[in-house]
Amino acid sequence: MATPAFYEIEGKWYLYAQACPLPANGNYIDGHWDLWCFSCDREIPTLPGHARLFIPGKRAAAGVHNDR
């Protein structure tokens, strides 16, 4: 995978990533690159006072912690 990036768009977080299988000649410039976008709805715990962090995954029901 190359160039993963998180973006916040209208209050939701998204992970963009691109990847390429190794071409037969070993030169990634000749490969077929794909771009994916993943919705990051799962909040994971951070240290108190630090920014909230969201990753791909389902959002937990109210009152349920998403720390597993």
Side-chain angles (χ1 to χ4, degrees), residues 8-34:
E8 184 180 13
I9 302 170
E10 296 184 5
K12 287 191 67 173
W13 284 94
Y14 298 90
L15 169 63
Y16 288 84
Q18 61 185 49
C20 173
L22 181 62
N25 68 2
N27 189 343
Y28 283 105
I29 224 163
D30 295 325
H32 175 79
W33 288 86
D34 291 314

Side-chain angles (χ1 to χ4, degrees), residues 7-65:
Y7 292 98
E8 184 180 13
I9 302 170
E10 296 184 5
K12 287 191 67 173
W13 284 94
Y14 298 90
L15 169 63
Y16 288 84
Q18 61 185 49
C20 173
L22 181 62
N25 68 2
N27 189 343
Y28 283 105
I29 224 163
D30 295 325
H32 175 79
W33 288 86
D34 291 314
L35 176 66
W36 292 285
C37 176
F38 304 93
S39 176
C40 298
D41 296 323
R42 181 176 174 205
E43 184 175 3
I44 60 174
T46 58
L47 295 172
H50 286 74
R52 297 168 68 196
L53 180 61
F54 293 86
I55 63 170
K58 293 182 180 178
R59 188 176 302 212
V64 176
H65 293 284

